[in-house]
């Protein structure tokens, strides 16, 4: 929600009507867009050209690295790099009939004397690598020719990629000379990385490592992705042929069933296309934490890692147990990140004294827990989850005191749990006059609907130290940080999502702090992982298909969606700022006056216009546009009437205004956190997390992407965060209802992705398809319900949705099913999702479709048309599989009615169809095959629902008995209607045509 990339000096300059100072940059020569160093020139004096197609500026070492280790493609036009003279061959280079210049790039016969002279100079210590301006030009210096460049022109330049090392061949007769020559490791363009004695230079290696990118894209192997795409295309063609056949082959005696089924088929086809297209370009990512440390945590220098504010949200301590929140907070305080860079803010929307007291106890226990975790490198750093691990906790532990200290810490944690449980027991009985604090004053949050702003700093700068005297991260009971720490990045977590990987924030910083691409990243989303789910994940709580397939596909377009938790934001993006713009490079112009085929003229133009003109003009125009924007913008309307907070929104690097004291900042924080501060501002409308929707996460990420930002999906090997999920059927359906209703609300709002931001063109088309599918999937519930009822109706009416199948139609149907399963299997192959997880997702797609999603559509329409609102309750949070008994808990809800009805109707249809076939004769069994197939398809998808409906074994709920009685009644009525004891003769009636007919 920031308004630009201004820093504090620029803000002051604007209000003083001064020109903001632009960042100085060396524009004397063309620079590499990857490493930032100068491109350099060839021996002819021309600029080095890596790509002949677009002229994207890349230096030779980066060009060589990309050919050898990367994708071998130009970063701009994606054209494969051609092999240039003097470059080593790599797999994929076209075979050339001429002599390889690599084999003859050292003319040993012609230059042997020069090489011997150079070798003698090296061994005698007379070789100098680069001269100063006052050095003797006649000093002895070897003129070793390497390709088209001379060694005398080498200079020490550091590049972000390691360069290919090649040994210079020397014609020596003695073995001693050969061994000495083997120590010569000269990089392309003469970048020296080894000393003459053959040892590595650690300082140079560290500098080189610090210049390398902090992350990279890992393309999914084409052997996995190409077959998948081919099958998807084949499925699309087969689906088109099948729909054409269905539309042109009506069923005269069942026109209603035929038309309904055709409409359902067309809807399913479009729904599949909108779901499939965003998966076309899936990618993986890899981070380099060691490079992050080398770049920003250099020994002997101040730590320059960016500060991070962590927000933990909670509402009801009775449904979200305080011990769960305490473990989340402890895992945050113990993260592997500089303590002065981490601040934990707990936002208690319920204003509960129980939560407040829990945080007080948590702050005290953290003084022991945090040093224990960091001393022994504990994972995970939530004590409840760590002590519950059923693994060898001595693995990789080498300190002899570990067992003793672990035993002591476990006892300390058990005592901590007893204190928290005592607070919970006390909080269950609320006094009539409300809660009273220790000083005798009433608790300000006794009225949860109307209470003043509250702030309490439990652990702060200079006041929070652990048992060993080390400083602890800040812990604050408040929901605003903009005027306190004001970190440039923010991590938000639900109270039940603890830090499972202590380096999670470092993983995010590899993207957000990357000097090349980080400025355009608005947030880094981590996948959600859960504890306490039953082994077979009966109700698809893990949602692996979405997190491991859909989100990887979105990462290859414009970035994953924001899913509400486990996400690190750039504060400037939330403040409404636009992403930094990139100057466009002029197109290549042909040159017909010289045999360079446009290369020389093109790059001279690029050098002059791009570097000296376009970039400078962009800086000037961008500064003017910012100044105009800042001068005309009504800060009070956007950010409220706090001058301190408005100033903090302009500090891109974060940090509170230095002119304010701590007391003034606390006072200002109380003002900003008041409930009426956001009134008459753009908070929740255009800035920050967007309010007014149940799924505020989806709409928040959608608005950021619509502004042109991109996001990143980070999947470290060790899951970054883990949480709890509702595992019984009723809670799972209620959770799905809440998500679906939020999507329906977005569909009927002004943020509908079909048209919102369409004119700006900043949201990519495939990304828009993904958001459209996200808001429209609840409406598919009507189609799913219809399709689940069609098989039973066909059995009860002795009709079918298709005409008599021919060989061609049968072949189309078989091909459609084969393509469906093949594409699914290949999708699992490149994503890593198991078959069981995919099947559970398909089952809950049907279960949720005919219950939660259907109710969401109805309630959404009632809210839009009649203004009837729905109040949702928070789902209960549990710890681990000790609570797996909740899986069998049966809680009646109206969401269970539609699936149960569908299940019963299909069972009735099976009985009716089978009985009618037995009564009619053997010839009636053949038409039943197709009908039975679709009926069993419905029942197979509803099987987990049936198990959930039955509850624990040998304990049938009363509601099931009631439905069984109703089912028996329906069976009786259908049985009377069918009358299976009366023989039904096929053909003409003998009574009508006579005995001799």
């Amino acid at each position: 929600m920031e308004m630009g990339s201004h820093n504090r000096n620029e803000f002051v300059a604007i209000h003083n009507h001064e020109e903001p100072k632009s960042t100085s940059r060396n524009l004397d020569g063309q620079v590499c867009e990857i490493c930032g160093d100068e491109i350099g020139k060839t021996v002819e004096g021309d600029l080095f050209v890596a790509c002949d197609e677009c002229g994207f500026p890349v230096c030779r070492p980066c060009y060589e690295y990309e050919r050898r280790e990367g994708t071998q493609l130009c970063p701009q036009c994606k054209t494969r790099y051609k092999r240039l003279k003097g470059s080593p061959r790599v797999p994929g280079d076209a075979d050339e009939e001429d002599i390889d210049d690599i084999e003859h790039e050292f003319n040993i016969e012609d230059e042997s004397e020069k090489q011997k002279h150079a070798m003698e100079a090296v061994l005698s210590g007379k070789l100098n690598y680069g001269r100063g301006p006052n050095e003797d030009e006649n000093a002895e210096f070897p003129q070793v020719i390497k390709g088209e460049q001379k060694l005398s022109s080498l200079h020490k330049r550091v590049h972000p990629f390691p360069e290919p090392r090649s040994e210079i061949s020397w014609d020596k007769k003695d073995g001693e000379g050969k061994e000495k020559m083997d120590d010569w490791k000269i990089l392309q363009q003469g970048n020296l990385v080894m000393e003459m004695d053959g040892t590595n230079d650690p300082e140079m290696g560290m500098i080189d490592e610090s210049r390398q990118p902090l992350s990279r894209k890992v393309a999914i192997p084409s052997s996995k992705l190409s077959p998948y795409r081919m099958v998807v295309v084949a499925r699309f063609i087969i689906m088109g042929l099948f729909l054409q056949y269905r539309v042109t082959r009506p069923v005269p005696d069942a026109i209603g069933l035929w038309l309904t089924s055709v409409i359902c088929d067309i809807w399913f086809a479009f729904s599949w296309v909108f779901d499939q297209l965003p998966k076309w370009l899936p990618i993986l990512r890899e981070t380099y934490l060691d490079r992050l440390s080398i770049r920003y945590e250099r020994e002997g220098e101040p730590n320059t890692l960016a500060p991070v504010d962590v927000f933990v949200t909670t509402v009801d301590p009775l449904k979200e147990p305080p011990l769960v929140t305490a473990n989340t907070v402890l895992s945050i305080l113990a993260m592997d990140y500089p303590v002065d860079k981490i601040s934990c803010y707990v936002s208690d929307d319920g204003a509960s004294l129980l939560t407040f007291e829990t945080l007080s106890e948590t702050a005290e226990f953290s003084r022991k827990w945090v040093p224990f975790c960091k001393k022994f490198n504990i994972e995970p750093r939530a004590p409840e989850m760590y002590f519950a691990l059923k693994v060898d906790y001595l693995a990789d532990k080498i300190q002899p005191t570990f067992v003793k200290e672990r035993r002591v810490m476990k006892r300390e944690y058990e005592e901590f749990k007893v204190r928290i449980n005592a607070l919970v027991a006390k909080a269950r009985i609320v006094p009539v006059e409300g809660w009273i604090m220790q000083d005798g004053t009433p608790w300000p949050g006794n009225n949860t609907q109307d209470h003043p702003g509250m702030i309490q700093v439990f652990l702060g700068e200079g006041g929070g130290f652990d048992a060993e005297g080390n400083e602890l991260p800040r812990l604050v009971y408040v929901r605003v940080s903009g005027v306190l720490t004001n970190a440039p990045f923010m991590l938000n977590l639900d109270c039940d999502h603890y830090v499972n990987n202590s380096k999670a924030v470092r993983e995010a910083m590899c993207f957000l702090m990357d000097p090349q691409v980080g400025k355009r990243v608005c947030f880094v989303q981590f996948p959600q992982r859960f504890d306490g789910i039953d082994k077979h994940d009966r109700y698809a709580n893990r949602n692996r298909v979405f997190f491991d397939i859909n989100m990887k596909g979105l990462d290859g377009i414009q970035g994953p969606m924001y899913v509400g938790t486990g996400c690190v934001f750039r504060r400037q993006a939330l403040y409404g700022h636009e992403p930094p713009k990139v100057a466009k490079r002029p197109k290549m112009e042909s040159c017909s006056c010289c045999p360079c085929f446009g290369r020389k003229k093109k790059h001279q133009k690029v050098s002059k216009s791009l570097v000296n003109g376009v970039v400078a003009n962009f800086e000037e125009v961008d500064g003017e546009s910012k100044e105009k924007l800042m001068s005309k913008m009504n800060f009070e309307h956007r950010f409220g009437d706090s001058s301190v907070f408005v100033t903090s929104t302009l500090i891109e690097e974060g940090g509170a205004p230095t002119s304010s004291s701590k007391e003034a900042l606390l006072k200002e924080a109380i003002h900003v956190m008041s409930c009426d501060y956001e009134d008459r501002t753009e908070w929740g409308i255009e800035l920050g997390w967007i309010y007014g929707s149940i799924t505020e996460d989806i709409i928040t990420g959608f608005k950021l992407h619509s502004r042109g930002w991109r996001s990143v999906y980070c999947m470290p090997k060790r899951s970054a965060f883990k949480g709890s999920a509702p595992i019984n059927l009723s809670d799972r359906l209620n959770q799905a209802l809440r998500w679906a209703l939020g999507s329906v609300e977005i569909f009927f709002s002004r943020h509908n992705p079909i048209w919102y931001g369409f004119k700006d063109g900043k949201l990519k088309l495939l990304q828009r398809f993904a958001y459209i599918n996200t808001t429209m999937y609840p409406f598919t519930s009507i189609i799913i319900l219809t399709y689940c009822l069609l098989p039973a109706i066909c059995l009860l009416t002795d009709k079918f949705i298709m005409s008599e199948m021919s060989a061609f139609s049968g072949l189309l149907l078989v091909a459609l099913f084969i393509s469906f399963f093949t594409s699914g299997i290949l999708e699992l192959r490149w994503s890593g999702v198991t078959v069981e997880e995919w099947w559970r997702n398909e089952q809950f797609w049907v279960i949720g479709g005919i219950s939660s999603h259907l109710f969401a559509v109805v309630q959404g329409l009632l809210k839009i048309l009649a203004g009837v609102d729905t109040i949702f309750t928070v789902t209960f949070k549990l710890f681990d599989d000790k609570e797996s008994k909740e899986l069998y808990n049966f809680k009646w809800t109206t969401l269970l009615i539609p699936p149960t009805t569908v299940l019963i109707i299909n069972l009735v249809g099976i009985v009716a169809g089978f009985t009618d076939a037995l009564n009619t004769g053997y010839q009636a069994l053949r038409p039943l095959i197709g009908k039975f197939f679709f009926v069993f398809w419905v029942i197979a998808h509803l099987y987990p629902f049936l198990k959930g409906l039955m509850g624990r074994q040998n304990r049938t709920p009363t509601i099931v008995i009631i439905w069984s009685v109703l089912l028996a009644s329906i069976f009786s009525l259908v049985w009377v209607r069918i009358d299976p004891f009366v023989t039904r003769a096929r053909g003409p009636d003998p009574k009508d045509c006579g005995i001799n007919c």
Side-chain angles (χ1 to χ4, degrees):
M1 300 183 302
E2 305 172 349
M3 305 175 329
S5 58
H6 299 286
N7 55 28
R8 188 170 181 273
N9 294 331
E10 291 174 332
F11 174 65
V12 174
I14 288 169
H15 283 270
N16 292 336
H17 304 285
E18 300 176 0
E19 295 272 347
K21 297 180 179 180
S22 60
T23 305
S24 62
R25 186 178 182 182
N26 183 14
L27 301 178
D28 295 333
Q30 178 73 340
V31 295
C32 174
E33 289 294 329
I34 298 179
C35 67
D37 286 347
E38 293 186 2
I39 295 294
K41 298 182 179 180
T42 63
V43 292
E44 291 86 0
D46 296 336
L47 201 65
F48 174 76
V49 182
C51 178
D52 290 334
E53 299 294 331
C54 66
F56 186 72
V58 174
C59 64
R60 184 152 194 152
C62 294
Y63 158 81
E64 297 290 358
Y65 177 83
E66 185 63 31
R67 276 175 38 87
R68 188 181 71 257
E69 302 291 345
T71 61
Q72 301 184 1
L73 303 179
C74 173
Q76 177 168 275
C77 66
K78 305 304 180 184
T79 304
R80 188 181 186 277
Y81 275 139
K82 296 180 180 179
R83 174 175 170 267
L84 302 179
K85 188 175 182 180
S87 299
R89 291 186 182 275
V90 296
D93 285 342
D95 295 333
E96 300 178 6
E97 297 181 359
D98 57 344
I99 300 176
D100 193 347
D101 60 321
I102 287 293
E103 300 175 359
H104 296 269
E105 65 177 342
F106 296 104
N107 193 340
I108 300 177
E109 294 180 359
D110 298 337
E111 302 293 335
S112 58
E113 293 299 326
K114 294 183 180 180
Q115 293 175 354
K116 292 178 180 179
H117 181 69
M119 184 57 200
E120 294 174 358
V122 170
L123 298 179
S124 61
K126 297 180 180 180
L127 180 59
N128 297 320
Y129 288 91
R131 295 186 183 87
N134 299 324
E135 288 183 296
D136 185 8
E137 295 181 358
N138 298 321
E140 191 171 0
F141 196 85
Q143 303 293 321
V144 181
I145 299 177
K146 188 179 192 303
E148 296 293 331
Q149 299 182 359
K150 296 183 178 180
L151 189 61
S152 60
S153 63
L154 74 84
H155 58 285
K156 285 191 176 183
R157 296 196 299 114
V158 182
H159 295 278
F161 303 121
E163 304 180 45
R165 301 181 180 181
S166 59
E167 296 182 2
I168 299 181
S169 300
W170 296 88
D171 190 10
K172 282 285 181 180
K173 296 181 179 180
D174 58 312
E176 181 181 358
K178 177 64 178 176
E179 292 178 0
K180 293 181 179 180
M181 294 309 101
D182 289 340
D183 291 336
W184 270 67
K185 303 288 186 178
I186 302 179
L187 299 178
Q188 201 112 27
Q189 291 192 349
N191 184 16
L192 188 63
V193 296
M194 297 191 70
E195 298 292 344
M196 291 299 96
D197 57 357
T199 60
N200 290 323
D201 184 351
E203 184 177 356
M204 286 296 296
M206 183 174 296
I207 295 176
D208 181 67
E209 188 77 8
S210 69
R211 297 289 300 277
Q212 297 188 20
L214 304 180
S215 65
R216 73 181 182 100
K217 294 180 182 179
V218 181
I220 296 177
S222 58
S223 60
K224 295 182 179 180
L225 202 56
S226 296
Y228 166 72
R229 290 173 174 170
M230 294 173 60
V231 173
V232 168
V233 173
R235 180 178 173 182
F236 181 81
I237 297 174
I238 295 171
M239 188 169 57
L241 295 175
F242 180 77
L243 290 178
Q244 187 269 343
Y245 173 83
R246 294 279 284 117
V247 172
T248 57
R249 300 292 193 281
V251 183
D253 59 340
I255 195 69
L257 290 176
W258 167 81
L259 182 60
T260 303
S261 64
V262 168
I263 294 175
C264 293
D265 289 342
I266 295 176
W267 181 278
F268 280 139
F270 276 98
S271 177
W272 175 78
V273 169
F274 274 82
D275 180 67
Q276 192 66 47
L277 284 180
K279 303 176 184 177
W280 193 253
L281 300 169
I283 62 170
L284 301 174
R285 293 185 184 271
E286 192 176 78
T287 57
Y288 303 103
L289 299 181
D290 53 343
R291 298 178 185 174
L292 181 74
S293 297
I294 293 173
R295 182 185 290 268
Y296 297 108
E297 296 181 295
R298 295 179 180 177
E299 187 176 356
E301 299 180 9
N303 191 301
T304 56
L305 282 175
V308 179
D309 289 340
V310 186
F311 287 87
V312 179
T313 55
T314 182
V315 179
D316 189 346
L318 297 181
K319 293 184 178 180
E320 298 171 329
L323 191 59
V324 175
T325 304
N327 273 268
T328 299
V329 172
L330 288 170
S331 68
I332 294 171
L333 298 178
M335 282 196 302
D336 183 6
Y337 207 75
V339 294
D340 59 329
K341 308 285 186 176
I342 285 288
S343 301
C344 180
Y345 293 85
V346 178
S347 175
D348 179 20
D349 293 339
S352 171
L353 180 61
L354 175 56
T355 303
F356 184 86
E357 294 290 347
T358 299
L359 288 180
S360 179
E361 292 287 348
T362 303
E364 290 301 318
F365 179 70
S366 67
R367 303 178 191 275
K368 303 175 183 178
W369 174 251
V370 172
F372 171 75
C373 291
K374 294 185 176 182
K375 180 178 180 180
F376 298 108
N377 196 24
I378 299 300
E379 293 285 2
R381 299 190 176 181
E384 182 72 22
M385 289 68 188
Y386 170 69
F387 290 121
L389 288 177
K390 297 178 176 62
V391 297
D392 181 13
Y393 64 86
L394 294 178
D396 302 326
K397 302 302 179 184
I398 58 176
Q399 299 190 39
T401 60
F402 170 70
V403 175
K404 179 180 179 181
E405 294 191 32
R406 183 184 185 276
R407 188 181 300 114
V408 173
M409 186 53 59
K410 187 174 183 180
R411 184 170 61 251
E412 293 280 354
Y413 177 66
E414 296 296 334
E415 296 176 356
F416 169 75
K417 289 175 62 176
V418 171
R419 294 194 296 270
I420 299 299
N421 292 334
L423 293 175
V424 174
K426 182 180 178 181
R428 294 185 183 278
I429 304 176
V430 182
V432 178
E433 66 279 3
W435 294 107
I436 304 296
M437 294 189 293
Q438 292 182 357
D439 59 358
T441 59
W443 170 246
N446 282 325
N447 184 358
T448 58
Q449 303 299 324
D450 184 14
H451 62 85
M454 294 178 286
I455 180 171
Q456 175 66 46
V457 180
F458 290 102
L459 298 174
E461 184 178 358
F465 297 93
D466 59 26
E468 299 180 359
N470 300 316
E471 186 178 356
L472 290 171
R474 300 176 182 87
L475 175 59
V476 186
Y477 178 84
V478 72
R479 62 173 183 172
V480 61
S481 68
V483 296
L484 295 178
T485 51
N486 191 40
F489 303 106
M490 298 183 293
L491 164 65
N492 77 293
L493 293 173
D494 288 344
C495 65
D496 63 319
H497 276 70
Y498 64 91
V499 180
N500 183 64
N501 184 347
S502 62
K503 299 182 183 296
V505 173
R506 292 178 177 270
E507 297 276 355
M509 291 301 106
C510 286
F511 301 103
L512 293 168
M513 297 187 68
D514 191 289
Q516 299 297 328
V517 299
K519 292 293 184 180
R520 297 188 60 84
V521 177
C522 58
F523 63 82
V524 176
Q525 178 66 62
F526 292 87
Q528 291 188 18
R529 303 296 188 223
F530 302 99
D531 290 324
I533 299 176
D534 62 297
K535 180 180 179 181
H536 299 288
D537 193 13
R538 181 182 298 178
Y539 308 119
N541 280 288
R542 293 189 176 92
N543 209 358
R544 291 290 299 273
V545 172
F546 174 76
F547 287 112
D548 288 23
I549 297 180
N550 297 56
M551 296 287 267
K552 289 179 182 177
L554 291 176
D555 200 15
I557 308 173
Q558 198 171 343
M561 300 176 181
Y562 169 45
V563 296
T565 184
C567 185
V568 182
F569 278 91
R570 182 182 299 275
R571 189 186 290 266
Q572 292 282 304
L574 285 176
Y575 282 174
H577 288 229
E578 299 290 333
K581 298 180 181 179
V582 179
K584 295 183 179 179
R585 297 175 179 82
K587 295 183 179 180
M588 179 183 64
E589 295 185 2
S590 60
C591 175
S592 59
C593 60
C594 64
C596 66
F597 301 101
R599 289 174 55 183
K600 182 174 181 178
K601 183 176 180 180
K602 171 189 66 176
H603 288 283
Q604 288 177 346
K605 183 177 181 63
V606 169
S607 178
K608 292 180 180 179
S609 63
L610 172 61
V611 180
N612 297 330
V614 176
V615 175
N617 291 336
F618 169 71
E619 294 285 345
E620 181 180 356
V621 172
D622 192 44
E624 291 178 356
S625 63
K626 289 179 181 179
E627 184 175 0
K628 182 182 295 185
L629 174 66
M630 301 294 289
S631 61
K632 293 183 178 180
M633 184 175 297
N634 188 334
F635 289 102
E636 185 172 340
H637 173 67
R638 288 177 62 86
F639 298 102
D641 58 357
S642 172
S643 59
V644 176
F645 180 65
V646 170
T647 304
S648 69
T649 63
L650 304 175
I651 307 176
E652 183 177 359
E653 297 80 11
T658 56
S659 59
S660 302
S661 62
K662 293 182 180 180
E663 293 75 12
L665 292 178
L666 286 174
K667 182 179 179 180
E668 199 68 22
I670 295 175
H671 170 57
V672 173
M673 67 178 292
S674 60
C675 296
D676 58 349
Y677 180 83
E678 299 171 0
D679 297 343
R680 299 177 300 279
T681 67
E682 294 187 0
W683 286 110
I685 302 174
E686 296 295 334
L687 309 178
W689 284 273
I690 308 303
Y691 308 154
S693 174
I694 299 173
T695 52
E696 73 282 350
D697 47 1
I698 297 295
I699 194 171
T700 299
F702 173 64
K703 288 182 74 70
L704 292 176
H705 285 142
S706 299
R707 294 193 188 113
W709 290 95
R710 76 149 295 133
S711 56
V712 168
Y713 197 50
C714 182
M715 299 182 66
K717 293 182 180 180
R718 180 180 179 85
S719 300
F721 310 101
K722 281 190 176 182
S724 58
I727 60 175
N728 64 68
L729 178 60
S730 303
D731 288 344
R732 180 70 170 100
L733 291 178
N734 277 293
Q735 183 188 62
L737 172 61
R738 183 169 64 252
W739 294 343
L741 183 57
S743 296
V744 174
E745 290 177 350
I746 296 175
F747 181 81
F748 287 111
S749 69
R750 67 185 183 92
H751 295 110
N752 189 315
I754 296 178
W755 56 73
Y756 183 84
F758 195 85
K759 293 182 180 180
D760 297 335
K762 296 180 179 179
L763 189 67
K764 294 185 178 181
L765 183 60
L766 293 183
Q767 193 84 9
R768 188 177 295 275
F769 280 172
Y771 277 110
I772 291 175
N773 185 60
T774 301
T775 57
M776 291 191 64
Y777 81 89
F779 297 95
T780 309
S781 60
I782 302 174
I783 308 300
I784 296 176
L785 178 63
T786 304
Y787 225 95
C788 288
L789 293 175
L790 281 177
I793 296 175
C794 291
L795 287 170
L796 292 173
T797 60
D798 198 22
K799 308 292 183 182
F800 198 50
I801 59 177
M802 296 179 63
S803 59
E804 187 173 350
M805 299 183 63
S806 62
F808 176 72
S809 62
L811 182 63
L812 271 181
L813 189 61
V814 171
L816 185 63
F817 276 99
I818 291 177
S819 65
F820 169 75
F821 287 109
T822 305
S823 63
I825 292 173
L826 293 176
E827 191 174 72
L828 304 183
R829 186 167 173 257
W830 64 255
S831 65
V833 177
T834 64
V835 175
E836 183 180 19
E837 291 168 337
W838 175 82
W839 175 237
R840 293 304 185 198
N841 183 81
E842 291 293 314
Q843 288 178 316
F844 194 79
W845 176 67
V846 175
I847 296 172
I850 61 178
S851 58
S852 302
H853 303 169
L854 183 65
F855 272 72
V857 173
V858 175
Q859 292 181 8
L861 292 175
L862 289 176
K863 183 176 181 179
I864 297 298
L865 301 177
V868 179
D869 205 350
T870 305
I871 300 177
F872 289 96
T873 58
V874 180
T875 54
F876 284 90
K877 303 298 190 300
L878 302 171
F879 257 131
D880 50 272
D881 13 289
K882 294 180 180 178
E883 306 291 343
S884 59
K885 59 183 180 181
E886 285 289 321
L887 176 66
Y888 304 102
N889 281 3
F890 186 87
K891 302 176 184 179
W892 173 252
T893 173
T894 53
L895 296 176
L896 301 176
I897 295 178
T900 307
T901 305
V902 169
L903 194 59
I904 292 175
I905 291 176
N906 279 275
L907 292 175
V908 171
I910 292 175
V911 174
F914 191 72
T915 305
D916 184 61
L918 291 178
N919 182 57
T920 303
Y922 174 78
Q923 66 275 10
L925 290 176
R926 182 180 177 184
L928 287 179
I929 296 177
K931 301 176 184 179
F932 280 163
F933 175 80
F934 287 108
V935 168
F936 284 115
W937 178 88
V938 175
I939 295 177
H941 281 78
L942 293 177
Y943 177 71
F945 173 82
L946 180 61
K947 291 189 67 175
L949 194 67
M950 298 301 297
R952 186 181 291 273
Q953 296 177 358
N954 303 325
R955 291 183 58 186
T956 305
T958 305
I959 191 66
V960 177
I961 299 177
I962 297 175
W963 274 108
S964 300
V965 174
L966 179 61
L967 178 62
S969 303
I970 296 175
F971 275 166
S972 301
L973 293 175
V974 175
W975 190 271
V976 171
R977 176 194 174 280
I978 295 175
D979 198 4
F981 297 102
V982 177
T983 303
R984 294 185 180 182
R986 299 292 182 182
D989 191 349
K991 296 180 181 179
D992 295 336
C993 59
I995 190 70
N996 297 323
C997 178

